[in-house]
């Protein structure tokens, strides 16, 4: 599940390693999932999305995996770079609902 | 042009002041959003405009007053704010048929 409290979960990786960021989503009716990246002092930036009729989708250096059985979403970043350092949020929505439900976020720190 | 532009980037105001935050997009998106984000937290939805009409108000206090003058512009009028309203205010837009939100860089508001 997601961490609660004042501190963001933090993942620290070495440059060049692969990163896996996990997210447990809350609504079994959710059918659309998005990963956002938020760098310090900036707004969230779309990374990749996936619909519930898929279990895997790949982008450039990123892969999203969806496990509907356990309501789990993950973001894999290949060959992590310093520029990947940011907070990563998962978000879910159901149907035509315009309201995204956001996860608490994970802070990714990439060590050179 | 794939940008959402927000002004001002920083705003400091007293509790008796009236100020406005502005947001502009020229992507032809017909849904526009205001979010509030506290440090180390995910964005919280405040308002959604769809085709220039207010479609979602997440029980936001009346000291925040949104306005959508046309399909490209979104304002947030601020009056009699409290110090706890200090936060990053994010504007976003989306095509009606997709869930991907395009965010601006945000306006950092400090209420003294």
């Amino acid at each position: 599940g997601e961490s609660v409290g004042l501190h963001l979960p933090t993942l620290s990786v070495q440059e060049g390693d692969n990163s896996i960021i996990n997210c447990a989503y809350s609504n079994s009716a959710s059918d659309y999932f998005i990963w956002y990246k938020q760098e310090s002092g900036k707004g969230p930036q779309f990374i990749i999305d996936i619909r519930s009729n898929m279990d895997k989708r790949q982008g450039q250096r990123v892969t999203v995996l969806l496990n509907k059985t356990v309501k789990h979403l993950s973001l894999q970043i290949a060959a992590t770079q310093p520029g990947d350092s940011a907070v990563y949020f998962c978000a879910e929505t159901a149907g035509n609902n315009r309201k995204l439900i956001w996860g608490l976020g994970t802070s990714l720190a990439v060590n050179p | 042009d794939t940008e959402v532009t927000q002004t001002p980037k920083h705003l400091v105001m007293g509790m008796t002041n009236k100020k406005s935050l502005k947001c502009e997009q020229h992507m032809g998106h017909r849904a526009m959003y205001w979010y509030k984000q506290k440090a180390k937290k995910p964005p919280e939805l405040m308002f959604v405009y769809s085709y220039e009409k207010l479609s979602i108000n997440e029980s936001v206090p009346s000291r925040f007053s949104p306005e959508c003058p046309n399909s490209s512009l979104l304002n947030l009028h601020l009056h009699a704010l409290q110090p706890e309203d200090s936060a990053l205010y994010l504007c976003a837009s989306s095509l009606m048929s997709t869930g991907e939100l395009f965010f601006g860089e945000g306006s950092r508001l400090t209420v003294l």
Side-chain angles (χ1 to χ4, degrees), chain B residues 12-87:
Chain B
V12 179
M13 60 187 292
M15 289 189 284
T16 58
N17 292 158
K18 283 186 180 181
K19 297 285 185 183
S20 296
L21 305 180
K22 298 186 182 300
C23 176
E24 188 169 3
Q25 59 89 11
H26 294 289
M27 295 179 279
H29 290 175
R30 302 316 296 265
M32 295 187 76
Y33 309 73
W34 280 115
Y35 280 84
K36 172 183 177 180
Q37 187 177 29
K38 290 281 205 178
K40 301 188 185 300
K41 298 290 186 183
E44 299 173 44
L45 183 64
M46 300 175 71
F47 302 104
V48 181
Y49 273 82
S50 177
Y51 289 89
E52 301 161 47
K53 293 191 187 307
L54 184 64
S55 61
I56 296 177
N57 176 341
E58 288 289 299
S59 302
V60 179
S62 59
R63 58 186 184 268
F64 294 92
S65 174
E67 179 196 19
C68 189
N70 60 55
S71 61
S72 299
L73 294 174
L74 186 66
N75 299 321
L76 186 62
H77 302 298
L78 314 171
H79 174 55
L81 294 193
Q82 305 296 311
E84 59 265 29
D85 296 322
S86 298

Side-chain angles (χ1 to χ4, degrees), chain A residues 5-8 32 34 36 38 41-46 49 51 89 93 96-100 102-105, chain B residues 31 33 35 37 40-43 45 48 56 58 88 90 94-101 103-106 108:
Chain A
L6 297 177
H7 301 287
L8 280 173
Y32 181 61
I34 311 173
Y36 283 93
Q38 188 172 21
K42 295 189 176 183
Q45 178 186 8
F46 172 89
D49 59 1
R51 295 200 176 273
F89 292 102
T93 188
N96 288 324
N97 190 343
R98 305 311 302 168
K99 181 178 176 180
L100 288 176
W102 294 73
L104 295 177
Chain B
Y33 309 73
Y35 280 84
Q37 187 177 29
K40 301 188 185 300
K41 298 290 186 183
L45 183 64
V48 181
I56 296 177
E58 288 289 299
L88 181 68
L90 293 162
S94 70
L95 281 171
M96 291 307 297
S97 60
T98 71
E100 179 183 348
L101 300 181
F103 283 88
E105 301 282 82
R108 174 77 58 191

